């Protein structure tokens, strides 16, 4: 199997409403799509989801683009391979830059499954046709507005609520949500905005029967997360900390968490994500799939991956209209009874639409194997 040409589209989709976290406010989502073609004319697509600012992690979309163009594409063109897992090894000499690697690697997985004419989930020995999903809600300054927003999602069937919290806007909105929805799976996501000095606050949260508290402390902090986990009953979940299987092993050995938010782009692609999911299952760590404001390409990939039996907790895999007015693929993901269908066509099961690509793209590059 050889890759002979690559089309790279740079796009931007406006969000339905601004999304606020402790990092700031997002109003549009910039992303790239990479369409790879093999020597037989088969195509696969991957999504580059890095943010424009180095706030969530250090890798920005401009950095990712540079690494893809100058390091990953030349290496890919020189490679002849039989399985997508070989891409991970081919890229190992490029340190970090996991989102850049994932954009290319996941496109190869899609191409591989399309070449075999099977849905991608079959490669993972998964067969669930739909999966339960949750919704992530940004910071709201007004509790009434928050409850109205939550009500609209609960009525649509979302089975879990994740609330973004920031210092000074945390306990009160969580208490309001728990009072309004005493039975729903509710969790808080701090995006590294707190320190161990906030232990009394987390002990108060411990009375709310939260499913978990996600990423309370610094993204490279394992020790204080472990100290917090020892002093509260609620599970601590790590997100930004987790880039590799070694990070998960470290967290597990230190007792830093009881749950892992696994994001395929943040760990460099499917090959590493599969290893992490297997480790979590073997060591009784709850693992669930997070989202990165993906378009329909990344969302379809996530749905296939999350259809594995090890994923039992509703992930951040919302319907397309949770974040965007439009999408660039068909079929568009829509929620039905709190579930999203796993696309059943070959590969990730969606087809990118040329009209939408052109409508939302502001640049395009083509790379051809020499």
């Amino acid at each position: 199997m050889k890759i002979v040409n690559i089309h790279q589209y740079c796009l931007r989709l406006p969000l339905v409403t601004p999304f606020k976290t402790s990092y700031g406010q997002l109003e549009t989502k910039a992303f790239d799509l990479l369409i790879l073609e093999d020597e037989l004319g088969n195509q696969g697509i991957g999504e580059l989801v890095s943010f424009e600012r180095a706030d969530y992690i250090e890798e920005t979309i401009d950095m990712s683009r540079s690494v893809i163009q100058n390091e990953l594409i030349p290496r890919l063109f020189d490679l002849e391979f039989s399985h997508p897992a070989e891409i991970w090894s081919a890229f190992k000499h490029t340190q970090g830059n996991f989102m850049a690697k994932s954009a290319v690697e996941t496109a190869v997985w899609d191409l591989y499954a399309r070449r075999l004419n099977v849905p991608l989930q079959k490669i993972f020995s998964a067969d669930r046709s739909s999966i339960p999903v949750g919704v992530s809600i940004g910071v709201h300054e007004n509790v009434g507005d928050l409850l109205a927003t939550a009500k609209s999602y609960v009525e649509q069937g979302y089975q879990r609520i994740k609330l973004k919290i920031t210092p000074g806007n945390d306990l009160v909105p969580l208490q309001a949500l728990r009072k309004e929805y005493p039975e729903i799976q509710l969790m808080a996501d701090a995006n590294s905005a707190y320190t161990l000095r906030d232990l009394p606050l987390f002990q108060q949260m411990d009375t709310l029967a939260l499913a978990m508290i996600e990423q309370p402390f610094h993204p490279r902090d394992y020790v204080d997360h472990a100290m917090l986990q020892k002093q509260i009953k609620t599970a601590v979940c790590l997100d930004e900390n987790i880039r590799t299987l070694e990070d998960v092993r470290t967290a597990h050995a230190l007792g830093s968490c009881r749950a892992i938010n696994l994001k395929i782009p943040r760990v460099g692609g499917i090959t590493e994500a599969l290893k992490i999911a297997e480790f979590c299952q073997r060591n009784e760590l709850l693992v669930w799939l997070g989202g990165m404001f993906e378009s329909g390409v990344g969302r379809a990939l996530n749905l296939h991956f999350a259809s594995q039996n090890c994923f039992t907790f509703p992930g951040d895999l919302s319907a397309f209209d949770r974040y965007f007015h439009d999408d660039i693929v068909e079929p568009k993901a829509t929620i039905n009874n709190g579930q999203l269908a796993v696309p059943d066509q070959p590969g990730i099961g969606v087809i990118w639409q040329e009209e939408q690509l052109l409508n939302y793209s502001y640049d395009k590059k083509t790379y051809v194997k020499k």
Side-chain angles (χ1 to χ4, degrees):
M1 190 178 200
K2 297 179 181 179
I3 304 302
V4 297
N5 67 61
I6 298 171
H7 300 293
Q8 182 176 8
Y9 291 84
C10 303
L11 305 98
R12 188 181 295 277
L13 281 174
L15 269 63
V16 172
T17 57
F19 192 88
K20 186 176 181 181
T21 72
S22 63
Y23 294 132
Q25 184 163 285
L26 191 68
E27 297 184 358
T28 65
K29 181 61 169 72
F31 63 100
D32 288 6
L33 295 177
L34 297 173
I35 301 174
L36 278 53
E37 186 172 329
D38 68 12
E39 76 282 7
L40 301 178
N42 300 295
Q43 291 185 323
I45 190 167
E47 182 168 348
L48 173 63
V49 300
S50 314
F51 290 114
E52 293 178 274
R53 296 175 55 191
D55 45 19
Y56 172 67
I57 64 172
E58 62 277 3
E59 185 179 354
T60 68
I61 195 166
D62 285 337
M63 296 175 189
S64 300
R65 288 167 176 162
S66 176
V67 168
I68 288 171
Q69 178 176 341
N70 297 315
E71 297 194 37
L72 304 185
I73 287 178
R75 223 166 261 153
L76 187 64
F77 278 155
D78 286 342
L79 189 65
E80 185 169 354
F81 59 95
S82 59
H83 192 276
E86 297 171 48
I87 304 301
W88 177 260
S89 298
F91 289 168
K92 67 181 180 181
H93 297 298
T94 297
Q95 297 297 316
N97 293 283
F98 296 121
M99 294 194 178
K101 293 176 180 177
S102 177
V104 180
E105 194 245 28
T106 55
V108 174
W109 278 91
D110 179 43
L111 190 157
Y112 177 74
R114 291 179 192 263
R115 183 166 166 144
L116 294 177
N117 199 37
V118 298
L120 182 60
Q121 67 172 179
K122 299 301 181 185
I123 310 296
F124 309 139
S125 299
D127 58 9
R128 284 193 287 172
S129 60
S130 65
I131 58 173
V133 291
V135 67
S136 180
I137 300 178
V139 174
H140 282 59
E141 302 302 331
N142 181 281
V143 170
D145 291 342
L146 169 63
L147 292 178
T149 298
K151 183 175 185 288
S152 70
Y153 293 128
V154 171
E155 289 177 346
Q156 291 175 53
Y158 286 100
Q159 300 183 30
R160 184 227 69 199
I161 294 175
K162 177 167 83 172
L163 180 66
K164 298 286 186 176
I165 60 173
T166 58
N169 196 333
D170 36 45
L171 186 62
V172 170
L174 285 169
Q175 288 172 330
L177 282 170
R178 177 50 80 211
K179 182 179 179 181
E180 188 74 15
Y181 301 105
E183 303 299 328
I184 202 166
Q185 294 187 93
L186 175 64
M187 57 180 290
D189 185 3
N191 288 121
S192 305
Y194 298 81
T195 70
L196 196 55
R197 290 191 297 271
D198 297 300
L199 175 61
L201 172 66
F202 292 114
Q203 289 173 327
Q204 288 179 282
M205 291 184 193
D206 214 16
T207 66
L208 298 177
L210 300 179
M212 64 189 73
I213 300 170
E214 183 178 342
Q215 199 63 45
F217 303 150
H218 189 274
R220 305 315 297 160
D221 188 326
Y222 292 90
V223 174
D224 281 2
H225 277 116
M227 294 178 69
L228 174 64
Q229 184 66 93
K230 286 182 176 69
Q231 297 182 72
I232 62 174
K233 300 186 298 291
T234 306
V236 171
C237 173
L238 292 184
D239 176 356
E240 287 92 322
N241 280 63
I242 306 302
R243 318 292 177 83
T244 65
L245 173 61
E246 285 71 26
D247 292 329
V248 181
R249 292 176 61 196
T250 298
H252 178 62
L254 294 177
S256 304
C257 65
R258 297 208 307 267
I260 297 292
N261 177 345
L262 176 56
K263 293 177 179 173
I264 295 170
R266 200 193 55 239
V267 303
I270 289 173
T271 304
E272 190 76 354
L274 286 169
K275 295 176 184 176
I276 290 172
E278 190 276 332
F279 178 90
C280 289
Q281 187 174 34
R282 181 159 35 90
N283 291 278
E284 299 183 344
L285 279 172
L286 175 64
V287 60
W288 58 282
L289 209 64
M292 291 285 295
F293 298 92
E294 292 94 344
S295 77
V297 171
R299 183 184 297 102
L301 172 76
N302 286 341
L303 287 168
H304 280 270
F305 197 83
S307 67
Q308 298 177 83
N309 289 334
C310 61
F311 293 98
T312 58
F313 186 78
D316 291 335
L317 309 179
S318 305
F320 88 94
D321 57 0
R322 161 64 187 93
Y323 295 116
F324 305 116
H325 296 282
D326 197 7
D327 207 341
I328 44 79
V329 302
E330 290 291 345
K332 295 180 175 66
T334 56
I335 193 166
N336 183 19
N337 294 322
Q339 307 239 350
L340 287 179
V342 180
D344 60 3
Q345 296 303 301
I348 60 172
V350 294
I351 302 298
W352 50 98
Q353 304 297 299
E354 191 68 25
E355 181 178 347
Q356 276 84 353
L357 282 181
L358 295 176
N359 189 31
Y360 294 109
S361 65
Y362 57 90
D363 193 17
K364 178 187 177 184
K365 294 182 176 68
T366 297
Y367 307 92
V368 180
K369 178 177 172 62
K370 296 178 181 179

